[in-house]
Amino acid sequence: FKVVNHIEDDVVSDSTMVQFKTVVTGVFQNSTWENSEKYIFNDGTSAIPEDLPVLNTQQNYFNQGLRIGSWAMVAVVLLLSISCIVWTHNYRHKRVVRSSQPIFL
């Protein structure tokens, strides 16, 4: 493995074009890291930057009324589904039900 650093090539770059060169800063060989050059970070120094600040995120959760309404609709759907299953089971021997769904019943 190797760690590379892409830095601006001052020899080739000019005011209209920026060229980068790849510099190998570290190589992992024989179970050890060998550093050949210092790694240059975005601020132009080799000092490790501080961690990013903690983000203040807004938790956009549903309000209680919407949650209760959703669970009420789930309950209605489940109740209707179970009642259709029970009705079909009770009337499965009726001629109208058998003729409308011969494969299903």
Side-chain angles (χ1 to χ4, degrees):
F1 298 101
K2 63 182 178 178
V3 177
V4 295
N5 198 358
H6 301 282
I7 58 174
E8 184 179 350
D9 191 356
D10 294 330
V11 176
V12 181
S13 298
D14 58 17
S15 63
T16 60
M17 181 179 65
V18 177
Q19 288 280 335
F20 291 93
K21 63 181 177 181
T22 302
V23 178
V24 177
T25 59
V27 178
F28 187 72
Q29 291 179 345
N30 302 324
S31 301
T32 59
W33 279 101
E34 298 174 9
N35 295 328
S36 57
E37 292 190 31
K38 288 187 176 184
Y39 189 87
I40 306 299
F41 292 95
N42 285 342
D43 61 356
T45 66
S46 60
I48 297 174
E50 295 180 16
D51 286 340
L52 294 174
V54 177
L55 294 177
N56 294 328
T57 58
Q58 182 182 6
Q59 303 293 337
N60 294 321
Y61 295 119
F62 297 119
N63 62 18
Q64 191 69 19
L66 185 59
R67 191 174 301 145
I68 291 172
S70 299
W71 281 112
M73 285 189 268
V74 167
V76 168
V77 168
L78 287 174
L79 182 67
L80 288 174
S81 298
I82 291 171
S83 64
C84 286
I85 290 170
V86 169
W87 184 90
T88 305
H89 182 72
N90 287 339
Y91 293 101
R92 70 183 181 273
H93 296 298
K94 297 289 184 179
R95 182 176 154 191
V96 174
V97 175
R98 289 181 63 86
S99 64
S100 65
Q101 296 291 333
I103 296 172
F104 174 68
L105 299 173

